Amino acid sequence: MIERHIKPEVAAIFIDVARGRRGIYADDAAFEKLLAEAKAAFEAADPETAEIIRQFARAEVPDGGVLFHGLTVDQDDMGESPRDPVAFEGKDRDPVTEAALLAFASVAGEVFSFARQHRGALIQNVTPIPGHEYDAVGTGSRSLLDWHSEDAFDDAHPQFVGLFCVRGDERVQTALAPVDRIDLTAEDEKVLREPRFMHGIDKASGGTGRPEDGVQGAALYGENGKRFVRIDMDCAAAVAGDDEAAAALKAFHDGADKEGIYVTLGAGDILLFDNRRVMHARTPFEPRYDGTDRWLQRVIITDDLGRSTDRRTRHQRVVENELVGA
């Protein structure tokens, strides 16, 4: 995985771009203006980094991920880590961290969201939330968030994911498992490419998380030797009675454990990864609930917004909740 340090003068441009731009969570026009101007300012200030992101989007970087260090976070301005992300999204503040995340993400593709998550917010604030400690969702904490690709149950699943670390926690690691690294037998690969698995709908998307309540489909796909992944290990299982598929899924999970790349995100880090070439996970930790907890801002990105045109009827970047089967 590539790591790159952003020059201080580049990091500072997002402060200028974001100055006075309140309301981007609630106003589509304000969001679009910030996105366009942040992207333009970033590409002009640091074309080399922008080109690395384009190479990432073209699958030309190793392991399907890029980690950037050195962005600016004013911790006093950000305030306490929110226990209620919706309340934070209504806060009157200059969206500096959002500007940076949008700039990096928009070079990779088109930012979008699902109406079923965070009320359709295009930038989602993710912190541990009381009551979610043992849930297999981003706002959980005490349980391992196992290997998964985002929105595996939905045909509109994102191509890329972007994370901005607003506040880090040295006790927590984010893990990436590039699927091309995972050693599988030819037979297991064949089975994983067949629709022999149930993909549950996670609780963050309004589902139960139980495989049997989800949709049926394959775990791997891709033509001409390409291997793309579509699975959430916390919410997936082989079709009932299919022992061969269950064994293949276990082999895939064990292979991901062996190939995992672990990183500890610190304040100002941006991580971009390919949601179809990489599974990701998060290690368990004990939440503090004292305003200092780990805090990420998250976006999902598509390489082709046109694929979801029929499901974006109210907002140009928000996909409505009807689920499309695997």
Side-chain angles (χ1 to χ4, degrees):
M1 181 174 66
I2 290 177
E3 293 191 46
R4 183 173 177 85
H5 289 265
I6 304 303
K7 298 175 182 178
E9 58 268 29
V10 174
I13 69 170
F14 300 111
I15 298 173
D16 294 333
V17 170
R19 186 170 290 117
R21 295 181 184 275
R22 270 65 168 179
I24 69 159
Y25 286 94
D27 187 311
D28 287 350
F31 177 91
E32 293 295 332
K33 189 171 183 180
L34 177 64
L35 184 150
E37 295 188 13
K39 178 183 179 184
F42 170 52
E43 290 181 313
D46 194 348
E48 292 181 356
T49 299
E51 179 55 27
I52 289 174
I53 297 173
R54 294 189 194 96
Q55 292 171 4
F56 156 78
R58 297 193 299 264
E60 295 173 0
V61 303
D63 302 324
V66 189
L67 178 59
F68 302 94
H69 305 287
L71 277 297
T72 301
V73 181
D74 185 330
Q75 296 293 338
D76 291 335
D77 181 60
M78 297 303 291
E80 294 188 349
S81 301
R83 294 196 202 184
D84 181 353
V86 174
F88 173 81
E89 289 159 8
K91 191 176 179 182
D92 184 28
R93 49 172 288 277
D94 289 351
V96 179
T97 57
E98 289 90 341
L101 180 55
L102 289 176
F104 280 64
S106 61
V107 173
E110 293 287 350
V111 174
F112 77 108
S113 69
F114 290 103
R116 60 180 176 250
Q117 295 174 349
H118 289 244
R119 300 184 185 179
L122 289 159
I123 299 175
Q124 299 172 0
N125 289 274
V126 180
T127 57
I129 292 179
H132 293 193
E133 288 88 351
Y134 298 100
D135 290 340
V137 294
T139 52
S141 51
R142 291 176 181 151
S143 292
L144 170 72
L145 187 59
D146 209 349
W147 299 114
H148 64 286
S149 48
E150 294 294 332
D151 304 288
F153 56 84
D154 197 309
D155 277 347
H157 56 287
Q159 175 91 30
F160 311 115
V161 176
L163 302 175
F164 188 109
C165 184
V166 176
R167 184 162 293 144
D169 187 329
E170 293 182 352
R171 305 169 300 165
V172 189
Q173 290 184 303
T174 299
L176 303 181
V179 294
D180 283 343
R181 284 192 178 198
I182 298 174
D183 187 24
L184 293 169
T185 66
E187 185 56 34
D188 282 343
E189 175 106 15
K190 177 178 177 294
V191 170
L192 289 164
R193 288 174 177 272
E194 296 171 347
R196 298 165 67 174
F197 304 91
M198 297 302 299
H199 300 273
I201 301 168
D202 62 84
K203 291 183 179 180
S205 296
T208 65
R210 296 191 296 264
E212 61 268 27
D213 296 334
V215 297
Q216 187 170 340
L220 293 177
Y221 66 102
E223 299 178 352
N224 302 319
K226 292 182 179 179
R227 184 191 282 181
F228 299 131
V229 64
R230 189 172 175 177
I231 198 74
D232 182 341
M233 297 292 187
D234 280 315
C235 303
V239 170
D242 191 338
D243 293 340
E244 186 179 36
L249 187 60
K250 183 179 185 304
F252 190 42
H253 186 284
D254 291 347
D257 284 344
K258 291 178 181 178
E259 297 298 339
I261 302 168
Y262 289 81
V263 297
T264 301
L265 299 177
D269 287 347
I270 287 182
L271 176 64
L272 298 178
F273 59 88
D274 191 320
N275 190 51
R276 300 180 193 180
R277 298 171 59 210
V278 171
M279 291 186 290
H280 63 289
R282 187 219 64 232
T283 59
F285 64 100
E286 184 64 28
R288 290 186 284 259
Y289 299 140
D290 63 355
T292 68
D293 274 315
R294 181 178 188 256
W295 177 3
L296 303 179
Q297 290 182 328
R298 171 184 176 271
V299 293
I300 56 175
I301 307 159
T302 179
D303 61 339
D304 182 5
L305 200 55
R307 279 200 297 264
S308 60
T309 297
D310 292 344
R311 294 175 60 192
R312 290 181 289 105
T313 59
R314 300 177 186 177
H315 300 280
Q316 68 185 65
R317 295 182 182 272
V318 181
V319 177
E320 296 303 317
N321 290 351
E322 295 83 357
L323 301 179
V324 179

